[in-house]
Amino acid sequence: MKSLSTSFKYLFLTITLCLLPFAFMSSQAQSQVNHRAEWFIDARYGMFIHWGVYSGAEGVWKGEKLRYDNDYAEWIYYRNRIEKDEYLTLLDKFDWSTINPEEWVILAKKAGMKYVTLTAKHHDGFALWDSQVSDYDVAEYTHPKRDIVRELADACKKHGLKMGLYYSHWVDWEHPFGWDHLKEIYPIEPEQYDQYWQEKVIPQMQELLTNYGDIGMIWFDMWIHHSRSIVSKEQLMQLKDLIRELQPDCLVNSRLGLSVEEDPDVDFRTLGDNRFGSRKLDYPWQSPATVAHSWGYHAFENQWKSSTTLLKSLINNVSLNGNLLLNIGPRANGDVPFEIEQRLLQIGEWLKRNGDAIYGAGGFDLDKNQHDWCQITSKEEGGVCKIYLHVPNWPLDHELKLTGIQAKPSKVWLLADSLKSPIEFVHQEVVTTLNLPDQQPDPLVSVIVVEYSEYPDVVNALVAESMSDGYSLTLNNCTEKTGSTDMIPAQRFGSVPPHISVNQKSKYRWRVYIEKPMVMTMDISYSYQGESGEGRIKLTAHDESFLQSLTHTGRFVGEPNVDWQIESFNSHSLGKLAIPAAGYYNFELEIKPPKDQTVDFQWVWLGRN
Ligand code: JFZ
């Protein structure tokens, strides 16, 4: 792992980050990793398995489709108001002769996943192991008795994967005092809830943590903070202490109901369902995700994400120091839906070629959106630093520009190329231009390795060239803002783009490295509802100023035939700028709205021609 001095460096960085909310630096390494979680951040990619009694319903009960739009098939018991005993008639659909958890593990392995997490007990309260605590378990309803957790544990051991167990601690629809959202109307006493806790949760967790060998993680599922639930912090601590006592190496996720911030002993943060990362975090985290929508098998599922989409989610997370837990929802005969299996295998093939860019890799110091062509992951190995450029859309001109690294790479090659044939590049100051092969090497995402003899410093406050031949100066990549600085996010499904409402004299600054003399076109996009000719904008670059009064942009019909009229953002030419020589250039925009008027500023575009 890292040396002490590097750790201090990142501790310092973290503190700096907290103090400077607008800082542009971020750390590439994960400094706040509990020792236990090292295997987890190395692994990066795991399989979630939602399988249980609900799998027999396939999203339909007595001819009626699952109620409620979110269509989580594993919620059918609750949504369609099924009686506890009648629910178990769904077990008649199960074909125990074909159900074989080892096949899921084999699939995970082929898919390049390093761990699996099975719903040992979901909200329906039904245990997938032979539980002495409750008869509401799989052993009670199978002859000979089955124990799915045992079978999975054996298979994981055999195939070298870590096993995690999902356990719904908060919600349990089967136990009279377990949490059921109906209790928001018909409440129970905390003492009653504690009865459920002490007679079901604690002893069942004891069973899972004692009888099945090493458990890689317990995946809890309370997606609200405990203060808003019936569960007390004491109960959660009792549960966590039990895990620490019985299996000190077992990871615990934040859906225990305690955030990583509140209790740093929680090993990793779980994002919302199908929520992917948006910024680099210093501690381990994971997105749980589905291939379509439902977690449990749903017969009417049809919005399958493509392999590339799923792979990009994995890459995105790794580039931000996160993991991906991708779900399969097998059927009542154990089969994994074709649509899921196909995508998993395709990504598995990709990982065989490109796994180096994922396993043991993490984020890099450059900002997430520095380049519009890719995400970057990185890794330090024996003093050498490799950064991996993930390129889904091969540039038509076969040229790729990496901006922000002063050091010259020692070598560049395609990760999938076992011969490591060098890719030619030109390095100038902070821009490395790669001359790529004509053919896109990978149908999903192609990975280029850029190697440095030591960890390179980065310059983050630079605008990188966009794939559309120019530089987009936005609110995200500017180095300084004074006056109006609050970003207003996109509204009305993005018809109103993100912008700053400028209601006072304001200034924005960007820095660009331009590689050769050229003439640039300059445009600005804004919305302004006042009189034309009033107020002004001024762009200053290389001692030249381009001054212009504001133009009324009027309104726009965002969606025809409905009341969807919005203020229009239009592009206005600011003129042409001659760049005399290669070098760094500052661009400073000053906006002065007329009194009591606002200008909604969006971007400045510097076009190469
Ligand atoms: C929960 C479960 O209810 C669901 O059945 C599934 O197991 C999933 C992985 O987790 O669902 C959630 C949890 C969190 C959010 C939404 C649904 N959330 O944070 O928005």
Side-chain angles (χ1 to χ4, degrees):
M1 285 271 24
K2 276 180 289 84
S3 70
L4 200 62
S5 70
T6 348
S7 302
F8 274 119
K9 186 169 144 202
Y10 289 118
L11 181 68
F12 170 73
L13 255 176
T14 312
I15 294 166
T16 319
L17 262 181
C18 297
L19 296 175
L20 298 169
F22 295 111
F24 287 89
M25 298 271 294
S26 49
S27 101
Q28 95 291 349
Q30 292 187 259
S31 51
Q32 296 168 30
V33 180
N34 288 334
H35 176 65
R36 290 187 284 275
E38 278 167 16
W39 71 265
F40 177 77
I41 63 164
D42 251 22
R44 291 300 184 206
Y45 186 35
M47 173 185 273
F48 215 169
I49 306 171
H50 273 71
W51 188 78
V53 179
Y54 46 81
S55 311
E58 310 202 338
V60 185
W61 178 251
K62 295 187 178 174
E64 181 193 353
K65 194 182 89 54
L66 180 87
R67 295 175 194 163
Y68 194 67
D69 280 345
N70 92 356
D71 268 347
Y72 280 2
E74 68 281 6
W75 275 70
I76 199 154
Y77 179 127
Y78 176 81
R79 299 275 182 220
N80 290 41
R81 311 308 311 137
I82 304 175
E83 288 293 328
K84 173 174 156 179
D85 293 331
E86 209 182 359
Y87 179 64
L88 296 187
T89 59
L90 288 169
L91 287 169
D92 299 344
K93 309 255 184 185
F94 283 62
D95 182 351
W96 295 100
S97 68
T98 57
I99 291 163
N100 181 7
E102 186 180 359
E103 283 173 11
W104 306 333
V105 173
I106 292 171
L107 175 62
K109 184 122 190 166
K110 285 188 189 156
M113 294 157 156
K114 303 290 189 191
Y115 53 101
V116 301
T117 303
L118 169 76
T119 49
K121 187 196 89 172
H122 203 265
H123 304 335
D124 61 9
F126 189 84
L128 289 186
W129 72 98
D130 185 1
S131 175
Q132 308 309 308
V133 176
S134 158
D135 286 346
Y136 214 63
D137 73 337
V138 70
E140 190 70 22
Y141 295 90
T142 46
H143 313 283
K145 285 184 178 190
R146 296 288 291 263
D147 184 327
I148 301 301
V149 173
R150 163 103 43 233
E151 294 172 31
L152 188 79
D154 291 347
C156 283
K157 211 166 175 190
K158 178 169 164 192
H159 296 281
L161 267 67
K162 293 259 187 192
M163 179 176 77
L165 297 174
Y166 170 112
Y167 186 89
S168 177
H169 59 323
W170 171 40
V171 177
D172 187 308
W173 301 322
E174 175 268 335
H175 192 285
F177 301 139
W179 189 252
D180 174 324
H181 288 77
L182 259 188
K183 294 188 167 99
E184 291 176 18
I185 311 174
Y186 309 107
I188 52 167
E189 295 301 321
E191 295 72 36
Q192 294 176 303
Y193 189 73
D194 194 55
Q195 189 186 327
Y196 152 71
W197 196 266
Q198 304 305 340
E199 74 184 26
K200 190 166 182 184
V201 178
I202 296 294
Q204 283 201 328
M205 286 300 297
Q206 246 153 357
E207 289 181 332
L208 291 173
L209 293 161
T210 331
N211 301 336
Y212 298 93
D214 289 345
I215 309 290
M217 74 180 81
I218 300 287
W219 210 96
F220 291 110
D221 196 4
M222 180 160 76
W223 56 90
I224 58 172
H225 188 259
H226 62 80
S227 57
R228 294 168 52 214
S229 78
I230 192 164
V231 191
S232 69
K233 184 159 180 176
E234 288 67 40
Q235 286 163 332
L236 296 178
M237 294 311 277
Q238 180 193 11
L239 192 52
K240 192 161 67 66
D241 288 347
L242 181 73
I243 298 172
R244 296 292 180 240
E245 178 200 325
L246 296 175
Q247 296 229 15
D249 292 335
C250 177
L251 305 184
V252 174
N253 69 335
S254 59
R255 280 201 202 168
L256 173 67
L258 285 175
S259 66
V260 195
E261 288 82 4
E262 182 178 359
D263 183 354
D265 187 49
V266 167
D267 298 287
F268 68 93
R269 175 169 170 189
T270 302
L271 303 196
D273 301 7
N274 284 305
R275 297 279 164 186
F276 303 103
S278 54
R279 66 198 166 95
K280 239 169 275 171
L281 295 175
D282 240 5
Y283 47 79
W285 60 274
Q286 183 186 54
S287 300
T290 47
V291 177
H293 179 76
S294 179
W295 300 87
Y297 181 79
H298 195 313
F300 301 148
E301 199 85 270
N302 54 19
Q303 293 189 322
W304 303 101
K305 297 164 199 166
S306 72
S307 302
T308 311
T309 301
L310 296 165
L311 178 57
K312 283 200 228 169
S313 306
L314 171 64
I315 295 165
N316 172 73
N317 280 12
V318 178
S319 81
L320 301 171
N321 295 331
N323 284 33
L324 178 68
L325 186 66
L326 188 58
N327 181 70
I328 66 168
R331 301 186 69 182
N333 62 0
D335 279 3
V336 176
F338 171 75
E339 304 284 1
I340 295 182
E341 186 174 44
Q342 205 194 17
R343 286 162 174 79
L344 257 55
L345 292 175
Q346 230 173 2
I347 296 170
E349 287 302 316
W350 183 91
L351 282 163
K352 269 191 206 149
R353 301 188 291 270
N354 299 296
D356 276 354
I358 300 291
Y359 309 124
F364 184 59
D365 282 357
L366 287 172
D367 286 336
K368 173 174 162 62
N369 297 317
Q370 166 90 345
H371 298 98
D372 62 355
W373 42 262
C374 78
Q375 305 288 5
I376 303 176
T377 59
S378 79
K379 188 186 271 182
E380 260 182 291
E381 264 170 354
V384 169
C385 173
K386 288 177 184 166
I387 71 170
Y388 302 93
L389 316 182
H390 298 255
V391 188
N393 303 311
W394 207 240
L396 289 173
D397 61 3
H398 313 139
E399 205 182 79
L400 200 69
K401 283 184 190 291
L402 176 65
T403 302
I405 304 175
Q406 233 147 11
K408 186 180 169 190
S410 46
K411 189 170 175 183
V412 182
W413 70 95
L414 286 171
L415 183 53
D417 175 10
S418 54
L419 299 174
K420 289 192 177 185
S421 319
I423 285 183
E424 305 216 330
F425 63 89
V426 178
H427 181 79
Q428 188 183 330
E429 186 65 26
V430 270
V431 179
T432 311
T433 305
L434 313 181
N435 296 310
L436 302 177
D438 294 356
Q439 287 291 314
Q440 170 168 331
D442 198 290
L444 303 178
V445 175
S446 309
V447 183
I448 300 156
V449 192
V450 183
E451 191 182 80
Y452 298 88
S453 52
E454 59 183 344
Y455 197 90
D457 286 335
V458 308
V459 189
N460 253 316
L462 272 185
V463 180
E465 192 175 319
S466 126
M467 272 191 115
S468 28
D469 278 336
Y471 302 84
S472 182
L473 314 186
T474 66
L475 310 168
N476 290 317
N477 59 16
C478 81
T479 52
E480 273 177 59
K481 302 174 193 165
T482 52
S484 301
T485 56
D486 289 344
M487 294 233 334
I488 298 172
Q491 289 153 17
R492 311 203 76 171
F493 297 99
S495 303
V496 179
H499 60 271
I500 288 187
S501 264
V502 185
N503 54 18
Q504 56 187 300
K505 186 171 153 187
S506 303
K507 279 186 186 174
Y508 310 96
R509 239 170 187 271
W510 295 268
R511 194 163 158 78
V512 183
Y513 179 79
I514 300 172
E515 296 154 89
K516 52 176 184 271
M518 65 173 81
V519 177
M520 285 177 141
T521 55
M522 301 184 298
D523 301 297
I524 181 167
S525 173
Y526 62 79
S527 164
Y528 167 65
Q529 303 305 314
E531 294 282 325
S532 290
E534 295 182 359
R536 65 166 172 73
I537 40 182
K538 185 169 86 174
L539 186 72
T540 309
H542 191 55
D543 295 337
E544 243 187 287
S545 284
F546 297 79
L547 195 72
Q548 183 168 105
S549 54
L550 292 162
T551 305
H552 174 86
T553 60
R555 293 171 67 77
F556 169 73
V557 176
E559 181 63 30
N561 304 318
V562 283
D563 182 19
W564 190 281
Q565 286 158 22
I566 53 183
E567 293 173 355
S568 194
F569 282 78
N570 297 352
S571 166
H572 310 260
S573 169
L574 285 166
K576 289 187 177 189
L577 174 72
I579 301 289
Y584 292 95
Y585 290 84
N586 288 321
F587 288 81
E588 186 180 276
L589 177 71
E590 187 186 287
I591 302 181
K592 206 172 147 200
K595 200 171 176 314
D596 300 329
Q597 292 279 357
T598 56
V599 181
D600 289 345
F601 164 63
Q602 191 193 5
W603 46 247
V604 168
W605 172 249
L606 310 177
R608 291 171 51 175
N609 51 351

